[in-house]
Amino acid sequence: MNISPSLFYNNYKKYGKIRRHTNAIKPQLTDENKKARLQFCLSMLKEDSLPHDPTFNDMFNLIHIDEKWFNMSRKNETYYLLPDEEDPYRTCKSKNFVGKVMFLAAIARPRFDAEGKVTFSGKIGIFPFVTKEPAKRSSVNRAAGTLETKAMTSVTRDKVRSILINDVMPAIIKKWPREDANLPIIIQQDNARTHIDPNDREFCEAVRKTGFDIRINCQPPNSPDLNVLDLGFFRAIQSLKYKDASKNIEELTAGVERAFESFSSKMFNRIFLTLQSCMECIMKVRGSNNYKIPHMRKGALERRGELSCQLKCDA
């Protein structure tokens, strides 16, 4: 910049002429991607509100699912210790291969009564991709033949199908509000290759046996901003999980599950409103992802009892 450090500091700190900006790379979108994003956002508007007063659906029948790798630890951690407290000692075989487990999370929009109490948390579940294998050799930690929890190193479509049928679906049936059990339930997923087709024969057959109307819908390609898990939930869960120091796969899965259960349902609800504001921005920029998420001051609105369940669309 050809200026002295002191001049830069004065312009940055004192006068505010230079601002700091953190920039994240976003997926590159084709014209077809933008068109699909626009169509998807329009489909989320209530039909009876068009065209004079467009309003988003309440999204109570949507379940968002997605996968994420959770690491056992970070390469560098910050600790706050007492003067005489011993420094933590952490080891692993290679810093480039820290233990990790993939989880599939499923969440729906929470529901509250007239007094603001949670009637349905929206937490369908978070399910690890792990297996139980007997130890081949004895060690100081366990005898040969003891079942050990191992992380799946590769996740295939068959494994995702198995999780959906054997874990996600029973959790939905157990936790879903009974007053809406006869209404369609939409599971929204992205377009990853490991995800099953919406008309998958085994999944449809398993749904038929439950008596529920559970369907799978795919969000537009290259659109993590249209899934509440990518929009803010996973980042929050990752921060909560890092408060625990995991030493093995069992502790890692237990830590992630604790973080999932401890996450506030009110924060769930705010992320769903953020999703609606993102959809409005997407329509304003004609399907692009070059927009800034507007600040709605949801916390202040919630404290005053003015937080709406559905946003108006001014796009």
Side-chain angles (χ1 to χ4, degrees):
M1 295 177 69
N2 295 323
I3 61 174
S4 65
S6 59
L7 181 58
F8 175 85
Y9 176 83
N10 289 334
N11 280 277
Y12 173 60
K13 282 288 187 181
K14 293 185 177 180
Y15 309 123
K17 294 182 179 179
I18 298 174
R19 64 185 179 90
R20 183 185 179 192
H21 172 66
T22 301
N23 191 281
I25 295 178
K26 297 183 178 181
Q28 186 174 0
L29 300 174
T30 64
D31 290 339
E32 288 299 319
N33 292 157
K34 295 178 182 179
K35 182 179 178 181
R37 285 162 60 84
L38 279 173
Q39 292 174 339
F40 183 83
C41 294
L42 288 171
S43 70
M44 290 296 172
L45 295 173
K46 295 175 62 177
E47 292 184 4
D48 57 1
S49 69
L50 298 174
H52 304 294
D53 187 29
T55 306
F56 286 102
N57 292 321
D58 53 31
M59 300 183 179
F60 284 133
N61 68 325
L62 278 179
I63 298 175
H64 289 239
I65 68 168
D66 202 3
E67 297 87 16
K68 177 176 172 56
W69 287 100
F70 283 88
N71 295 326
M72 196 174 298
S73 183
R74 289 181 286 193
K75 290 184 180 181
N76 297 299
E77 291 277 11
T78 301
Y79 295 89
Y80 294 91
L81 309 172
L82 296 173
D84 299 330
E85 192 173 356
E86 186 176 352
D87 294 345
Y89 178 65
R90 301 185 302 141
T91 62
C92 68
K93 291 183 178 180
S94 173
K95 291 191 293 184
N96 295 324
F97 298 97
V98 178
K100 60 182 180 180
V101 174
M102 178 177 281
F103 289 78
L104 184 144
I107 65 169
R109 189 167 188 182
R111 307 188 190 189
F112 308 89
D113 60 17
E115 298 178 356
K117 296 181 180 179
V118 178
T119 58
F120 171 56
S121 69
K123 302 173 184 177
I124 304 300
I126 187 163
F127 311 97
F129 288 91
V130 295
T131 58
K132 295 284 187 178
E133 298 178 3
K136 296 181 180 180
R137 300 178 182 85
S138 296
S139 71
V140 295
N141 297 319
R142 50 38 187 172
T146 304
L147 288 179
E148 291 184 305
T149 303
K150 299 285 187 180
M152 294 183 184
T153 55
S154 66
V155 176
T156 63
R157 182 172 297 175
D158 290 338
K159 293 175 181 176
V160 172
R161 182 188 294 110
S162 176
I163 288 281
L164 284 173
I165 294 176
N166 299 322
D167 296 302
V168 177
M169 196 181 301
I172 294 173
I173 296 169
K174 178 181 178 181
K175 299 179 179 180
W176 200 255
R178 289 292 169 246
E179 62 271 18
D180 291 341
N182 60 332
L183 299 177
I185 301 171
I186 309 299
I187 297 177
Q188 180 181 314
Q189 63 180 11
D190 60 21
N191 295 271
R193 292 183 179 180
T194 55
H195 284 170
I196 65 174
D197 186 86
N199 299 315
D200 183 82
R201 183 180 59 82
E202 293 182 39
F203 178 81
C204 292
E205 179 63 22
V207 170
R208 186 185 63 79
K209 294 178 181 178
T210 65
F212 279 64
D213 184 5
I214 302 176
R215 310 171 188 177
I216 291 181
N217 184 37
C218 293
Q219 65 196 47
N222 302 319
S223 301
D225 53 346
L226 291 175
N227 190 303
V228 293
L229 294 166
D230 289 317
L231 200 58
F233 174 76
F234 276 146
R235 191 180 302 112
I237 292 297
Q238 184 80 79
S239 299
L240 291 172
K241 184 269 159 195
Y242 278 140
K243 294 181 179 180
D244 291 333
S246 304
K247 297 180 181 179
N248 52 48
I249 299 299
E250 289 88 350
E251 292 183 3
L252 172 60
T253 55
V256 172
E257 290 168 357
R258 281 195 300 271
F260 179 82
E261 293 299 331
S262 65
F263 194 72
S264 169
S265 293
K266 291 185 177 180
M267 295 301 296
F268 272 151
N269 190 53
R270 294 182 192 178
I271 298 175
F272 271 91
L273 287 173
T274 300
L275 173 63
Q276 294 182 11
S277 67
C278 286
M279 289 182 176
E280 181 181 6
C281 292
I282 289 170
M283 287 188 276
K284 287 181 178 179
V285 296
R286 300 182 179 182
S288 174
N289 54 13
N290 185 19
Y291 63 87
K292 292 182 179 179
I293 301 176
H295 292 286
M296 300 170 53
R297 299 181 62 84
K298 294 186 285 292
L301 291 173
E302 188 176 63
R303 288 190 293 272
R304 296 199 300 266
E306 301 174 0
L307 189 64
S308 175
C309 180
Q310 302 151 270
L311 297 183
K312 301 284 185 180
C313 180
D314 297 328

